Amino acid sequence: MEINTLDDNFINEISKLKDTGIDISARKKISNIKKDARRAIKKDNCFWCGKTCSSFCNSHTVPKFSLKKIAIDGKLLVFNCIIENLLLDIDEGINRSGVFNLICNNCDNTIFQMYEDENILSKAQNEDNDMMLYLIAVKNILYHIYKKSIESFMVPDTSLGEDISNSFSMDIHEYNSEFKSVSKCIKKQEKGKYKIISDIYLQYTVPVAFQGCLALAFDMENCLINDLYYQKEEYRIQICHLAIFPLSGSTRILFFVDRQNKRYNNFIKQVSNLDKNEQLKLINYILFLYTEDMFLSPLIDNITLKELKDVAKKNLPMQFGLLGKKNLLAYSRYMLKKDYVLTDYNNIPNLLSEKFSMKKLNGE
């Protein structure tokens, strides 16, 4: 069977598409590469219970009931509706949104039920907040292991591609270590692993959903948290977790970090000094600056999406593949210092504000 991969000729062809437009064959090749990647990384055992598994569950990062609150006719906008890369889709159906295939159906239907319940998420405070945070973190980590494995398979077979692939391998190793740590806390019912940065309950439904890991580069005073391009194995990137759950007439936002990730301590203090509205602005800015895995309601107007483009273009995944190996590290560190400060968090539309609630977007 022929395996589709990115090669130099294809990458050169893609670089010319800015002027010539998208050939349907380019889209088809990207689609085939993704299919081959998913097939190549398929495991034989469930990541959670370890049992042999021939058919894995289509697990969602954000629970489907939450995605349905912002979808229109079963469709959601994805990050590319802002970036407008002609090779990629601008929307997805709910059934394909944020899906990964690492655990069996039985595990997916049982271990996440403590938080994948609208009644539980609707409570401003939960009796067992620790377990809810653990389960959110497990799902975040599993998704990123799956995503990084696919991306590692897809990188071009070049010296630059080898460097990127090695970076992904280091990420996967760290996510695996974190998975073992959280799993141990769940199985032993230990408490206190995570510290809340923000836990916000809103009395309206926001038009954006997200659940995942982030690695912040700087705090609000421009002090370094993570050197995201440091290549030594002994340097550990410290992640945090963010979840934005649209609900029926409300929203739950959870922002938290492992207590052992001490480099976030000043950031936690800085956030605690902000009122709720300022925290929402900051979280909104971080979302579009650091991740491409959010889902947006199609009710968001094009003017708003265009106003988000400047910050979204700074997003780290957009940098890979645009530069030669010689210049990649130096340029990326320069851009990190230039673009990944948080001082501009007031300068983009805040999709977490009541102004953009689903009720108001619907004209009610």
Side-chain angles (χ1 to χ4, degrees), residues 166-185:
N166 289 338
S167 175
F168 288 159
S169 295
M170 291 170 62
D171 290 342
I172 293 169
H173 175 75
E174 291 187 3
Y175 283 126
N176 273 291
S177 297
E178 183 67 11
F179 175 79
K180 291 176 183 177
S181 175
V182 185
S183 299
K184 179 182 175 182
C185 290

Side-chain angles (χ1 to χ4, degrees), residues 136-181:
I136 291 172
V138 164
K139 182 161 275 196
N140 293 350
I141 293 163
L142 287 173
Y143 173 73
H144 283 276
I145 289 172
Y146 185 77
K147 180 181 178 183
K148 290 291 183 182
S149 298
I150 288 178
E151 290 174 341
S152 181
F153 179 88
M154 291 176 63
V155 295
D157 187 16
T158 62
S159 57
L160 173 59
E162 183 179 354
D163 283 359
I164 296 173
S165 184
N166 289 338
S167 175
F168 288 159
S169 295
M170 291 170 62
D171 290 342
I172 293 169
H173 175 75
E174 291 187 3
Y175 283 126
N176 273 291
S177 297
E178 183 67 11
F179 175 79
K180 291 176 183 177
S181 175

Side-chain angles (χ1 to χ4, degrees), residues 89-290:
D89 294 328
I90 65 169
D91 60 15
E92 282 184 352
I94 288 176
N95 289 337
R96 293 178 52 209
S97 298
V99 168
F100 64 93
N101 307 112
L102 285 179
I103 58 177
C104 65
N105 284 285
N106 182 60
C107 286
D108 187 80
N109 292 330
T110 54
I111 63 173
F112 299 115
Q113 293 310 302
M114 181 171 289
Y115 87 91
E116 290 191 338
D117 182 308
E118 183 162 359
N119 292 326
I120 292 174
L121 289 172
S122 293
K123 297 177 183 177
Q125 294 293 329
N126 297 291
E127 293 180 3
D128 195 352
N129 215 40
D130 282 299
M131 189 58 66
M132 182 171 68
L133 298 184
Y134 293 164
L135 294 173
I136 291 172
V138 164
K139 182 161 275 196
N140 293 350
I141 293 163
L142 287 173
Y143 173 73
H144 283 276
I145 289 172
Y146 185 77
K147 180 181 178 183
K148 290 291 183 182
S149 298
I150 288 178
E151 290 174 341
S152 181
F153 179 88
M154 291 176 63
V155 295
D157 187 16
T158 62
S159 57
L160 173 59
E162 183 179 354
D163 283 359
I164 296 173
S165 184
N166 289 338
S167 175
F168 288 159
S169 295
M170 291 170 62
D171 290 342
I172 293 169
H173 175 75
E174 291 187 3
Y175 283 126
N176 273 291
S177 297
E178 183 67 11
F179 175 79
K180 291 176 183 177
S181 175
V182 185
S183 299
K184 179 182 175 182
C185 290
I186 293 172
K187 291 170 182 177
K188 293 191 174 183
Q189 297 187 334
E190 297 177 357
K191 294 184 179 295
K193 177 177 174 61
Y194 289 112
K195 184 175 181 63
I196 294 285
I197 302 173
S198 292
D199 182 355
I200 301 174
Y201 183 73
L202 301 173
Q203 298 287 347
Y204 53 88
T205 305
V206 301
V208 55
F210 173 75
Q211 184 180 330
C213 305
L214 306 170
L216 303 192
F218 298 101
D219 65 18
M220 298 185 69
E221 296 174 349
N222 300 337
C223 295
L224 188 71
I225 298 176
N226 286 299
D227 184 345
L228 300 180
Y229 290 103
Y230 196 83
Q231 297 295 308
K232 301 294 184 182
E233 288 189 15
E234 63 269 18
Y235 184 84
R236 179 176 168 269
I237 297 294
Q238 296 186 355
I239 62 172
C240 57
H241 298 268
L242 175 62
I244 301 171
F245 299 121
L247 306 170
S248 298
S250 62
T251 303
R252 184 73 180 275
I253 300 173
L254 288 159
F255 194 14
F256 58 98
V257 65
D258 193 313
R259 291 180 185 275
Q260 298 300 313
N261 292 352
K262 302 295 187 182
R263 298 202 297 264
Y264 282 90
N265 285 353
N266 285 336
F267 176 72
I268 295 170
K269 292 176 184 176
Q270 293 158 9
V271 175
S272 69
N273 290 328
L274 301 176
D275 63 29
K276 184 175 76 173
N277 289 332
E278 290 299 302
Q279 288 188 27
L280 291 175
K281 291 178 186 177
L282 177 65
I283 292 169
N284 176 75
Y285 189 78
I286 288 171
L287 180 71
F288 289 99
L289 182 63
Y290 278 97

